[in-house]
Amino acid sequence: MATQRTLSIIKPDATNRNLTGAINAKFEEAGLRIVAQKRIRLSRDQAGAFYAVHKERPFYDELCEFMCSAPVVVQVLEGENAIAMNRDVMGATNPAEAADGTIRKEYALSIGENSVHGSDAEETAKQEIAFFFSELEIVG
Ligand code: CMP
């Protein structure tokens, strides 16, 4: 498996509880490198555009309101098989189903306030990284 890049977001429930460092320690312990990172406050429109794929879902409005309720940390993780590795380290979307030792098992509050987002496939990773970062901002 070649080296991949994936987009990671540390969500408002986690930045509110000062968990950025604890969460990033999990990524780094798993061998993922943080090759770009910024702390930003999304507007409602930006959150809506990022999650446009979920526009028809019943939780879309709640998700967008949550994502712009406090700062997020957006970052690019790089490593062997990074997309799947990141998803393993995050754990299942619903913390009630997440495996022991995963970020969501340890820190998520609910399926909505689930501490982290990660790209789900190569094409989405490319799109999601380009949503937040220019090539100049990614330093491997
Ligand atoms: P994320 O990986 O960021 O991708 C979409 C998000 O929608 C997901 O994590 C959850 O936080 C959120 N989500 C998924 N299902 C629900 C749900 N049933 N209710 C509220 N939010 C949800």
Side-chain angles (χ1 to χ4, degrees):
M1 173 56 74
T3 299
Q4 290 180 326
R5 288 176 173 172
T6 188
L7 185 85
S8 162
I9 305 179
I10 300 178
K11 296 187 179 185
D13 67 280
T15 61
N16 277 337
R17 288 176 289 150
N18 215 20
L19 291 171
T20 299
I23 287 173
N24 279 332
K26 294 269 197 192
F27 293 134
E28 293 187 338
E29 280 161 18
L32 292 162
R33 300 181 71 82
I34 301 166
V35 295
Q37 185 181 62
K38 54 193 171 192
R39 181 177 171 99
I40 56 175
R41 179 80 183 255
L42 290 172
S43 69
R44 175 66 175 74
D45 282 353
Q46 288 167 334
F50 181 77
Y51 279 116
V53 66
H54 295 304
K55 210 171 175 41
E56 305 308 322
R57 303 281 195 96
F59 57 80
Y60 177 72
D61 284 336
E62 182 188 326
L63 172 62
C64 296
E65 292 300 330
F66 167 61
M67 290 300 288
C68 64
S69 67
V72 295
V73 176
V74 293
Q75 50 195 16
V76 179
L77 306 180
E78 185 180 86
E80 287 291 304
N81 208 12
I83 296 168
M85 174 65 76
N86 180 34
R87 294 178 71 78
D88 282 352
V89 176
M90 289 192 300
T93 303
N94 183 349
E97 295 164 9
D100 285 349
T102 62
I103 291 169
R104 285 168 171 158
K105 176 73 173 190
E106 287 192 21
Y107 300 122
L109 301 175
S110 66
I111 192 168
E113 298 191 37
N114 65 352
S115 302
V116 280
H117 165 83
S119 308
D120 63 2
E122 277 195 59
E123 197 48 43
T124 19
K126 281 201 183 76
Q127 292 164 4
E128 291 183 355
I129 290 168
F131 187 93
F132 290 110
F133 294 98
S134 75
E135 271 301 318
L136 274 177
E137 295 175 298
I138 305 170
V139 184

